[in-house]
Each structure stands twice: as C-alpha cells, then as structure tokens.
Amino acid sequence: MGEHVESRPTDETALPVVHLRRPRWGDPATPGQLPAAAAALVGGDNPVDTGTDPDDVTLDDPAIPAAARSALVDALGEANVTADHRQRIDHTRGYSTPDILALRSGDASDAPDLVVTPGSHDDVLRILQICATHRVAVVPFTGGTSVVGGLTPDRVGFVGVVSVDLCRLDDLVEIDEISRTATLQAGVRGVRAEELLRARGYTLGHFPQSYAGAGIGGYAATRSAGQSSAGYGRFDEIVEGLTLATPRGTIVVGTAPRSAAGPDLRQLVLGSEGAFGIITEVTVRIRPTPEYRLFEGWRFDDFDSGAAALRTLAQDGPMPTVLRLSDEVETAINLADPDAAGTDADATAAGGVLVVVGYEGRHEEAEMRRVAARRVLENAGGTCLGTGPGEAWRAGRFRGPYLRDPLLDVGVLVETLETVTYWSRLGDLKASVTAALTDALTAAGTPPLVMCHISHVYPAGASLYFTVVCPQADDPIAQWKAAKGAANDAIRAAGAGITHHHAVGRDHRDAYHAEIGELALEALRAVKQTLDPDGVCNPGIML
Amino acid sequence: MGEHVESRPTDETALPVVHLRRPRWGDPATPGQLPAAAAALVGGDNPVDTGTDPDDVTLDDPAIPAAARSALVDALGEANVTADHRQRIDHTRGYSTPDILALRSGDASDAPDLVVTPGSHDDVLRILQICATHRVAVVPFTGGTSVVGGLTPDRVGFVGVVSVDLCRLDDLVEIDEISRTATLQAGVRGVRAEELLRARGYTLGHFPQSYAGAGIGGYAATRSAGQSSAGYGRFDEIVEGLTLATPRGTIVVGTAPRSAAGPDLRQLVLGSEGAFGIITEVTVRIRPTPEYRLFEGWRFDDFDSGAAALRTLAQDGPMPTVLRLSDEVETAINLADPDAAGTDADATAAGGVLVVVGYEGRHEEAEMRRVAARRVLENAGGTCLGTGPGEAWRAGRFRGPYLRDPLLDVGVLVETLETVTYWSRLGDLKASVTAALTDALTAAGTPPLVMCHISHVYPAGASLYFTVVCPQADDPIAQWKAAKGAANDAIRAAGAGITHHHAVGRDHRDAYHAEIGELALEALRAVKQTLDPDGVCNPGIML
C-alpha cells in the first residue's frame, strides 16, 4: 500500500499560481461548475444571474491627496502606483460571501484609492511613513482571500486607502537545509512557495482551502491553518521568524527556535492582521518532499463516535498527516468530495459519517503510522472504506470554493464559519451553533442545510467548521449577517473561540473584544499605539 | 525490554516537597555531598568554609510604611504578612551562584521587607492594588529558584519590596479528563503537582532540574523547560490557559487550544516574569501516567556526530521522551551521573560522548519508538551502551544542584549558563562560548573546565547548556560576572538566544534588550504601562 510520489507527477498541490479576479474564485479559465446532482438538490432550474460585470462597476475618483500620491510615486516609481479600475476592483474586500455579494450587486464602495507594489522591505517602510504622514490607511495584500473583512479598513478619519500588494516580494530568500528552514518574502503565494521548495526537494506542507490564491504574509498575519495541520502543524506553529515593517521602523523576531527570553514576540506578530504593520519576510520550517502519500476513508456510525476516534489519535497518537470528520449531513451531501457534491457519498458510509485520514512522509515511517492508526480507528468502531473516498477528497481538496459562485448564480446562499473549543465541550458547541444557524435562517423564511466537519485536532480540543446552504432572501447580505450574528452569540455563550483559522478582521471584531476582555484589548492597543502612532495600519481590523 | 512503572514504586519524580532554606539547595536533612572522585579532582583538601550562618546575617528594618503594612494586614490577616528574619532570608534573591555567594558572605541587602501569603486570586489583586497605591515593589514567589536574578527587583523609586509567596495557592482546581487538561493554582510546586495528578492517573511530565523546589507559576512566568521536553514539550507548549492578576484587574487567556483570533495572548503572559502582574492559575495539558519507561546510554565518537544523530531524530522522528548529549569533557567528568561525578563515565563511552535517550508512554507505542530510534542512532554511528548509563542519569537527574554547595565549600566556583540557536550555527556557537569562558577565566588566573550538553532539541535547532568549574578568585562574584559577560557577548555575536530556559531576570536584561531591539522593547513597555501603570510589578526584571 501507499504511493511513491515520484511516480505521480500530477500532484494536486502543484497548481499554477492564480491571480484572483474578483468577484469569482480561481482561474477564470476553469470556472466553477455545479455538479448535476448538486444543481438538482439546490435549485438547478432557477434563473442564472452572475451579477454586475466588475468592469461596469462605478468607482469613486481616488481620494488620495496629490502630495501623498506623488510621494508614493517618488518612492516606488510610477509603475508601482496605480489607480487602474481593474486593479482597484481586484483589491476590494475579500472572499466572504457578503464580500462577493456586495461586488456582484455593483457595490465597490470599499475599493482602495490606490494599489501600490513595493519591491523591498525598505519600500514598505517608505510607504508606511508616507501614509502615516498623510493619514492614509494602509491595507496589506498578498492573496486577498480574507473571509472576515480583513481587507476592509475603516475610512473614517483617513484621507484615503492604499492597498499594499506584496506581489513583487516573491522570492525565496534563503534555505537552510541543516536547520530545515526557509526564508520567504511575504508576497510569495502558497502555490509558488511549494514550487520553489519542491525544486530543492522540500515542502512547506501548508494547504489551506485558499491555497490557489493566498500567500505567505497572509498566512502569518491571520494564523492560517492548512488541511494537513495534523502532520505539518498550523502556520503559526511552523513559523520560526518574522520581519515586520511598521511606521516606526523594523522589528525582527525569531532569534532562536525556542527561547525563555520574555514573551514570544513571534506570537504577537502572528495574527496581527496588518494592525501593527506589514510582515515582509517569514522564516518557516520545511520538510523533505514526502515519498509516501496515502489517503483513506473510514466510516463511523455517528459524529460522536467519529470524534472520539479523532480525539484518541490526537491525544495518544499516532497522528496522521490529514485527519477530518464530516458529520452526518455533510457525509450525506458528500461535501468531502466537492466534484461529486450532491451525490450520495460512498455507499458504505451512508447513514454514518465519513472520516478522511491521510498519511505523508518517509515510506517506512508513514506506513508504520498508518498501521498503528488503523488499529486505533478499528478499536474505536471505524470501518475502513479503502482509498476511494480518501483519494476523492484529496483530488477535490481545493475545489470547494469553486462551488460557491455557481450556487450564488442560481439564488442559493452558501457560506462557512468555524470555531474551536476543548474536547469536553465540542458536542454541545456543535449542537448550539447548528441550532442558532437553523433557527435564525428558518425564522427568516429560508430554512438552511447546516453541515459540519472537524478538520483540525489538538490534544486538548478541535475545530468545528460549518457550511450553511439555503435559498437567498431579498437582501442576502442582511440575511447572512443575522445568521452569523446568531452563530457568534452561540459560540460566545459556549465559551468557545470566535475563530479557529479565519482570523478576526472586521467581522469578528466585537466578538473578539468580548472574548479577550477590555484589559487585554487595552494592552494590544498600547502595542499598536507604539508601533503605529498615527493608526494608519489596517484601521478597524482586529482592534 | 522496558519497565512497567507499577512495579517500581520508588519513582524518582515522587520526591517530597522541599521548602528550600537559603543559601543551600534542597532538603537540609539530605545535604549535598561531594563524591570522593570529584573531591579529589577539584581540590578535596581545601579548607571547608560554608559561609555565614543565615540566621546571623543582619537585615535592615522593614522599610514598608505603616499604612501599607496595615492595609496588607487588613486584606490578608496578620498571619499572612510577616517580617520574620528567616522568612525574609528565604525570599532573598534566587539560586544563581552569585546569589548563593552573596548570602554566604552575609550580604542580604536584597531581602524583601515583608513576605505576604495570599489565599486567593482576589487576595493577589488586593496586594497589587495596595502596593501600587503605596509604591511598593512586588516580587512573585513560588519556588524561588531563579538563577537569573528574577527575584531581585530594583528598589530605586520604591518605598520597599514585598515578596508575594503563593504557597497557599496550592490546589488542583479542576481536571478535565476528556480534554486532558488540569487547572492548577500557581503556587502548586512541581513535586506536588505530580502528586496530585498521579492520584488521578496522570502526569504533567515537567521535570526541570529545579523540580525539588520550583512551582507552576514560576514555570509559566519563566518559560521553563523540563528534562523530558522532547516527549512532553516545554512548559510554554503545554500551557492551555492562564489567569493573570494585574494592578488594573484580571486577564484570562486560553479560550481554546488554538485560535486565529489575534496575537496569542498566552505567549505574552508566558515569560512575563512578574513584570505584567502575577499569574495565579494555569491550565496545562496532562498525560496518562506512563506505563513504560526505559533509559539507555549511547556512545558517539564526538560531539558533532552525536549532535547530528539528535538532529535526525528531532527532524525526522521518532522523538524519544528524553534526549541529551554530553560533550567530550562532560562525558569524561561523568556529569551525566552526578552521584558518580569525577569518576570515569561508563568505560565504553570513554574518549567519546554520551547520549542519554529515554522512552516513556504506553507500552507498545513507546517500545515502537524505541525500536525505530535505535535504528536512527545506529545508522548515525552510535553504539548502544545499554540501560546502565541511562538509568544512572535518571536516578541522579535531580542531584546536580546538590553538588554545588559542597564545591563552593571547598573554594571551587561552579556555575551554569545556557543558550539556543539553529542547528546550522550550533557548532560555531559552542566553540565561541567555550572560548569566551575559557579566555575570560584564564585571564583572571583561574583556568576553568568548561563542559557542555544539549538537553533540548527542536526540528530547527537545539539548546546548549554549559557548566563551568574553576578555582574561586578573591572576589568570586566579580570573577563570574566577567566570565558571564564574555559568554553573553559571544552568544550575542553568534546571533543566538540569550537564554533557552533560564529566563531574563536582571542578569540577562541588557542582552535581552539588544536581542529584541528598541522598538519591540517599547511595545513590551507599553503593555507593562497599561497593566501596571505605577510600575510596581517586579521592577527592573526583564524590562
């Protein structure tokens, strides 16, 4: 069993780098299509409406004062300062469903005034100083895939907004094969990072669902977690060092892999979402390209018994590389295999829940883990379904976001949210968030389908990721806002985390403040005040 | 092979709780004794001088204003506010060699004016408010084992110093067996924590060399790392939540095991060394009491080949529970087995270096790791010496600090320091620190023996722990200060971390500031200013 990667050149992580063109996801050459079964399920005979063509959306004239613009041009050169219509559109907001709906409706009111493309860390410092001087808000941009409003700063009190696209900071700076670390510029996209590292025989192993678009700086600023977090760790766990440009200068953190010297400053920069400055360089752990890769499906009778099996693996080992559990609804809809969504999942999983377990690594070591994990899963009541459902998930792992556009086209609302808690509270949290979403959307006359999966496990707890599908109401943005508010309240009431891997942005800001409390918030604001005294760094995001 | 722990009730981690009586280490009933071989080596015929009896040391009258003292008595009760001579002595400074030498010479000038013993988190809040009002400096105290001056605050600008001994915060608050977490009050000593958890079938697995004295709050405040860090993780890695009392109120962190909600505030409290307030409660990961435990010795030809073997295990696995490598000098002196120090190490290791590898856990899983690790160690050129040297290290693992007192008694200076860096720089760092220590002490007319070991490994790097032994000069405190300064300079020049697990305290403060840079330092000071506007929390420590 197991597969030698060398014999399979069509690795699904070896995608082309895609520059997303809003509002739709992915490469325009291969648009998302609704599987027939899914179309039949959700309303395939509705009229198709793809919304306003973004080229026809009206934008306000750039509000940046001439002095600020010319200072930026002086610093970066004319070619790296633009107010081009398409550029401004493609840097407007992120990829949450409300973001997409707003742009589809022709609302680009949050478009940045300018898009600038620095070529170096020093360029970023210059941009920050110019913007601080002129009171221009600054939004850092790598892949632009935020789903929490992380690219939509407050404009109040600022003369304009500049999107700082790090696309020119696209290099592998250094690779240390002895220490197994690589230093990447923050603008390197995830796909490109894999390409650069693969050429040297390594992988970063970080594959979030946003992989087609997202970049290193965004991973770090938002504490991204990839689908292989069980094996490779969350992004905040694989960062060894960071360089942060602030309006007051540069901070470099990560002198050593671990230290007892004061607070861990890496963990202050990670998750800072542009509020303290712009991350320009990240040193990460790398691993040898896996020589073995095998994904299996397992069936459990219900969510609780599947979750118990995942917990045993997380607490007692061995840890697979990928470990996820779809609940009964998601299993029935077969969302674990987006290309087949709406068909019945593997027949043998029917009526139960599907667990996908993946193993990657050196051949002997990964095979040993697989054998040991198999015993745990069997003892926990699981039935192995073979590699079929596992490989189907793997092949379709980045297709999920492509389904959303055609669903929105036919009047279906689809959105996701996620949370995290300790194992002892997981069942109650799942029940209360599901109820909150169901009740809110049913009360609005649009009863939803609520699916849930566990995709990230830790010894002490796990994440819950919800997918919600329902008919769009007349005002789908308000419709989702109410449902999301109800879910947030349920999460807060359960004492769970307001986000596991989507960050705070604007959308989670109030809930986040309630979660950490006023005094901790004041401490973070004091950090911001120190590094960004004029408050121009992504204002209104997180803090 | 392997041992069932049940059959061995005399687990060396099941020690009695010791309340250290300064200046000597450990239980006065079992004082440290110098092995005969060590005595012969270092000067066993020198006159024995144990220094001034601490009961005869002169203390200044407590400088605390009457109003502050009576406010503390009102808040805590008369029994919990004391200026008793012995109490003040036992809360004076920590356990670095300079600290011990100072007290042995009769210098107790850093003694706190009062020792107070809060019985609750709210008591701690009251103490902080009273001390802020009266400008009294506050030192948190659990085990009092700092070796970096963490218990020696600046007095300038304050009317006095209060040591807040958390010994009454000594409870297991809650155990969550589903999530495998335990919440402990910060005053629980490490030994007591194991006792409380063992009764429920669990272990914390945190065994620093200070284990006989240190406590949970100190572990958290200083980012302690235990001897089993390879298997159980550093203390900062096993903390899930913390409660911090500050002069401005309470901060609770750790809503969920992992989160993408802003900076990780746990990592701001961990390592804060009392500068932001006093940690009163800590939630930690726990594991089942290991059913298997086996320690082996391995011989490698030299430090570099041994280090390469450790690196392979840290990067490719499997990870043993304990993994340490003594260099040629330490191996020859046999410091891995303190009770036999000065004798030749296991003859088969002679001329080479000794690696100690320990495995703990579930029987089958630990045995599997052992088999796989054995293959890695053999492939890397190691020769297994059997369980003898491993078990000798294990049996003596907490004896090291007991050797220091009898060495000081006979005029030998002994002190340790540690650092951490990436694997690619480890060899150069070891050479330059060794040279710095050797040159500085040789120039002072006291050529030293410098030993080194690796005791904590990570995928990207490892710690280096140095032990220095030489004859005492006329002013041994100044003698060590010069040597330590030279070592710090070498560490800084190598770009390594100023401390891996001893924290910053006063002793590393300047080097720490140089390491993180002025802007990061300002950010941390802004946090302190927010939480402790009067600056009474362990002033001069870390910041």
Side-chain angles (χ1 to χ4, degrees):
Chain A
M1 299 280 288
E3 169 196 346
H4 283 269
V5 168
E6 292 87 336
S7 66
R8 187 176 187 277
T10 56
D11 183 346
E12 82 287 356
T13 63
L15 300 171
V17 174
V18 172
H19 289 270
L20 302 172
R21 287 173 65 85
R22 280 163 172 68
R24 298 179 89 82
W25 184 259
D27 186 351
T30 56
Q33 290 189 333
L34 213 51
L41 188 73
V42 298
D45 46 4
N46 286 8
V48 171
D49 176 1
T50 58
T52 310
D53 184 331
D55 290 336
D56 298 335
V57 168
T58 307
L59 290 176
D60 292 337
D61 284 341
I64 302 283
R69 183 165 178 164
S70 71
L72 289 167
V73 169
D74 288 349
L76 306 175
E78 191 74 49
N80 294 305
V81 179
T82 183
D84 170 74
H85 180 93
R86 185 75 226 189
Q87 283 290 323
R88 290 176 67 196
I89 290 287
D90 283 344
H91 291 79
T92 300
R93 307 190 192 98
Y95 270 95
S96 69
T97 294
D99 285 351
I100 294 172
L101 289 168
L103 197 53
R104 287 167 70 110
S105 77
D107 171 10
S109 55
D110 292 308
D113 299 287
L114 295 177
V115 176
V116 300
T117 44
S120 66
H121 172 82
D122 287 347
D123 276 357
V124 177
L125 286 176
R126 281 180 208 109
I127 293 166
L128 290 169
Q129 282 152 14
I130 292 165
C131 289
T133 302
H134 294 276
R135 292 204 60 70
V136 175
V138 179
V139 188
F141 189 102
T142 51
T145 60
S146 172
V147 292
V148 294
L151 302 159
T152 319
D154 284 341
R155 285 179 171 268
V156 176
F158 301 93
V159 297
V161 174
V162 165
S163 179
V164 181
D165 190 323
L166 304 179
C167 59
R168 290 171 64 211
L169 299 179
D170 196 31
D171 270 352
L172 172 62
V173 179
E174 193 191 351
I175 191 161
D176 176 348
E177 300 194 72
I178 305 292
S179 310
R180 291 244 183 108
T181 62
T183 301
L184 294 157
Q185 287 187 301
V188 177
R189 302 295 184 90
V191 172
R192 168 99 175 123
E194 285 299 321
E195 193 179 292
L196 290 164
L197 293 172
R198 190 181 293 114
R200 302 288 291 267
Y202 294 95
T203 179
L204 181 54
H206 189 73
F207 305 115
Q209 210 170 35
S210 59
Y211 178 60
I216 297 295
Y219 291 163
T222 63
R223 295 186 173 275
S224 171
Q227 293 166 344
S228 307
S229 69
Y232 294 98
R234 302 165 54 88
F235 199 73
D236 51 24
E237 293 169 332
I238 61 182
V239 168
E240 295 288 350
L242 297 137
T243 303
L244 178 74
T246 83
R248 294 210 39 233
T250 300
I251 290 181
V252 179
V253 298
T255 306
R258 291 289 181 278
S259 164
D264 186 344
L265 295 171
R266 289 180 291 217
Q267 300 294 334
L268 193 63
V269 177
L270 290 162
S272 60
E273 298 190 39
F276 298 159
I278 298 181
I279 295 164
T280 60
E281 230 174 74
V282 184
T283 299
V284 291
R285 285 178 59 194
I286 54 174
R287 330 268 176 129
T289 308
E291 58 184 32
Y292 175 98
R293 184 178 284 158
L294 187 140
F295 286 67
E296 288 177 337
W298 286 75
R299 180 193 183 280
F300 284 83
D301 282 344
D302 53 34
F303 181 84
D304 289 347
S305 62
L310 266 57
R311 177 164 69 86
T312 302
L313 288 172
Q315 292 180 339
D316 293 330
M319 271 297 253
T321 307
V322 168
L323 188 56
R324 43 196 298 135
L325 157 66
S326 294
D327 75 353
E328 289 84 348
V329 183
E330 188 171 293
T331 299
I333 300 294
N334 201 8
L335 262 203
D337 179 7
D339 291 328
T343 65
D344 282 346
D346 188 292
T348 49
V353 300
L354 178 66
V355 170
V356 171
V357 194
Y359 308 92
E360 293 181 3
R362 286 179 302 111
H363 197 285
E364 188 186 10
E365 176 275 330
E367 180 63 24
M368 208 163 77
R369 264 192 292 145
R370 193 180 72 85
V371 169
R374 165 182 282 270
R375 211 169 313 147
V376 173
L377 292 164
E378 277 170 354
N379 287 343
T383 307
C384 186
L385 305 176
T387 55
E391 293 296 330
W393 173 82
R394 174 155 84 95
R397 63 200 289 193
F398 304 118
R399 296 292 301 164
Y402 284 88
L403 286 183
R404 182 166 51 174
D405 297 318
L407 283 167
L408 294 177
D409 291 346
V410 295
V412 174
L413 183 76
V414 55
E415 181 57 307
T416 64
L417 60 86
E418 33 79 75
T419 177
V420 54
T421 192
Y422 294 95
W423 285 111
S424 58
R425 308 182 203 161
L426 198 72
D428 288 349
L429 177 64
K430 178 173 187 288
S432 66
V433 173
T434 302
L437 289 164
T438 305
D439 292 353
L441 288 164
T442 303
T446 55
L449 203 61
V450 179
M451 293 160 270
C452 182
H453 66 247
I454 296 176
S455 46
H456 304 272
V457 298
Y458 309 100
S463 67
L464 290 177
Y465 188 96
F466 294 88
T467 302
V468 184
V469 181
C470 66
Q472 283 178 33
D474 289 345
D475 181 349
I477 294 179
Q479 176 194 16
W480 177 249
K481 192 177 178 191
K484 171 81 174 170
N488 284 1
D489 290 347
I491 288 167
R492 289 282 310 135
I498 196 62
T499 174
H500 171 267
H501 60 270
H502 283 171
V504 175
R506 286 170 82 87
D507 299 356
H508 291 144
R509 192 177 52 191
D510 294 346
Y512 171 60
H513 295 180
E515 180 176 314
I516 67 170
E518 182 55 38
L519 193 52
L521 182 58
E522 273 190 51
L524 290 178
R525 286 191 171 132
V527 172
K528 181 174 173 71
Q529 174 66 27
T530 302
L531 304 180
D532 174 29
D534 298 295
V536 296
C537 292
N538 228 2
I541 304 304
M542 185 184 76
L543 297 178
Chain B
M1 298 283 287
E3 169 195 346
H4 284 270
V5 168
E6 293 86 338
S7 68
R8 187 174 187 279
T10 56
D11 182 346
E12 83 286 358
T13 64
L15 301 170
V17 175
V18 172
H19 289 271
L20 302 171
R21 288 171 65 86
R22 277 163 172 71
R24 297 178 91 82
W25 183 260
D27 185 350
T30 56
Q33 291 190 334
L34 212 52
L41 188 74
V42 297
D45 47 3
N46 286 9
V48 171
D49 176 2
T50 57
T52 310
D53 184 331
D55 291 336
D56 298 336
V57 169
T58 306
L59 290 175
D60 292 336
D61 285 340
I64 303 283
R69 182 164 180 165
S70 71
L72 289 167
V73 168
D74 287 350
L76 306 175
E78 190 74 49
N80 295 306
V81 179
T82 182
D84 170 73
H85 180 92
R86 185 76 225 187
Q87 284 290 322
R88 290 176 67 196
I89 290 287
D90 283 344
H91 291 79
T92 299
R93 307 190 193 98
Y95 271 95
S96 71
T97 294
D99 285 351
I100 294 171
L101 289 168
L103 197 52
R104 287 168 70 112
S105 78
D107 171 9
S109 55
D110 292 307
D113 299 287
L114 295 178
V115 176
V116 300
T117 45
S120 67
H121 172 81
D122 287 349
D123 276 358
V124 175
L125 286 176
R126 281 180 209 111
I127 292 166
L128 290 169
Q129 282 152 14
I130 292 165
C131 290
T133 302
H134 293 276
R135 292 204 60 72
V136 175
V138 178
V139 190
F141 189 102
T142 50
T145 61
S146 172
V147 292
V148 292
L151 302 159
T152 319
D154 284 341
R155 286 179 169 265
V156 176
F158 300 93
V159 298
V161 174
V162 164
S163 178
V164 181
D165 190 324
L166 303 178
C167 57
R168 290 170 64 211
L169 298 180
D170 194 32
D171 270 353
L172 172 61
V173 178
E174 193 191 352
I175 190 160
D176 176 348
E177 299 194 72
I178 304 292
S179 309
R180 293 245 180 109
T181 63
T183 302
L184 293 156
Q185 289 186 301
V188 176
R189 303 295 184 88
V191 172
R192 169 97 175 126
E194 284 299 321
E195 193 178 292
L196 290 164
L197 293 172
R198 190 181 291 115
R200 302 287 291 266
Y202 294 97
T203 180
L204 181 55
H206 190 73
F207 306 116
Q209 208 170 37
S210 59
Y211 178 61
I216 297 296
Y219 291 163
T222 63
R223 295 186 175 273
S224 171
Q227 293 166 343
S228 307
S229 69
Y232 294 98
R234 301 166 54 88
F235 200 73
D236 51 24
E237 292 169 334
I238 61 180
V239 168
E240 296 286 351
L242 297 137
T243 302
L244 179 73
T246 83
R248 293 209 41 232
T250 300
I251 290 180
V252 179
V253 298
T255 305
R258 290 290 180 277
S259 165
D264 187 343
L265 295 171
R266 291 179 290 217
Q267 300 294 334
L268 194 63
V269 177
L270 291 161
S272 60
E273 299 190 38
F276 298 160
I278 298 181
I279 295 164
T280 59
E281 229 173 76
V282 184
T283 299
V284 290
R285 286 180 58 194
I286 55 174
R287 329 272 175 126
T289 309
E291 58 185 33
Y292 175 99
R293 184 177 285 156
L294 188 140
F295 286 68
E296 288 177 337
W298 285 75
R299 180 192 184 281
F300 284 83
D301 282 343
D302 53 36
F303 181 84
D304 288 347
S305 61
L310 267 56
R311 177 164 69 86
T312 301
L313 288 172
Q315 291 179 341
D316 294 329
M319 271 296 255
T321 307
V322 167
L323 187 56
R324 46 195 298 135
L325 157 66
S326 294
D327 75 352
E328 289 83 349
V329 182
E330 188 171 294
T331 298
I333 299 294
N334 201 8
L335 261 205
D337 179 6
D339 291 328
T343 64
D344 281 346
D346 187 292
T348 49
V353 299
L354 178 67
V355 170
V356 171
V357 194
Y359 309 92
E360 294 182 4
R362 287 178 302 111
H363 196 284
E364 189 187 10
E365 176 275 329
E367 179 64 22
M368 208 163 77
R369 263 192 293 146
R370 192 179 73 85
V371 169
R374 165 182 281 273
R375 211 169 314 147
V376 173
L377 292 165
E378 277 170 354
N379 288 343
T383 307
C384 186
L385 306 176
T387 54
E391 293 295 331
W393 173 82
R394 174 156 84 95
R397 65 202 286 193
F398 303 118
R399 298 291 302 164
Y402 284 89
L403 286 183
R404 181 167 50 176
D405 297 318
L407 284 166
L408 295 177
D409 291 346
V410 296
V412 173
L413 183 75
V414 55
E415 181 57 306
T416 65
L417 61 86
E418 32 79 75
T419 178
V420 56
T421 193
Y422 293 94
W423 286 111
S424 57
R425 308 183 203 159
L426 199 71
D428 288 348
L429 177 64
K430 178 174 187 288
S432 66
V433 173
T434 302
L437 289 164
T438 305
D439 292 353
L441 288 164
T442 302
T446 55
L449 202 61
V450 178
M451 293 161 270
C452 181
H453 65 248
I454 296 176
S455 46
H456 305 271
V457 298
Y458 309 100
S463 67
L464 290 176
Y465 188 97
F466 294 88
T467 303
V468 184
V469 181
C470 67
Q472 284 178 35
D474 288 345
D475 181 348
I477 294 179
Q479 175 194 15
W480 177 250
K481 191 177 178 190
K484 171 81 174 168
N488 284 0
D489 290 347
I491 288 168
R492 289 283 310 135
I498 195 62
T499 174
H500 170 268
H501 60 269
H502 283 172
V504 176
R506 287 172 80 89
D507 299 356
H508 291 144
R509 192 175 54 192
D510 294 346
Y512 171 60
H513 295 181
E515 179 176 315
I516 68 171
E518 182 55 36
L519 193 53
L521 182 60
E522 274 190 50
L524 290 178
R525 286 189 171 134
V527 172
K528 180 174 174 73
Q529 174 66 25
T530 302
L531 304 179
D532 174 28
D534 298 294
V536 296
C537 292
N538 227 4
I541 304 304
M542 187 184 72
L543 297 178

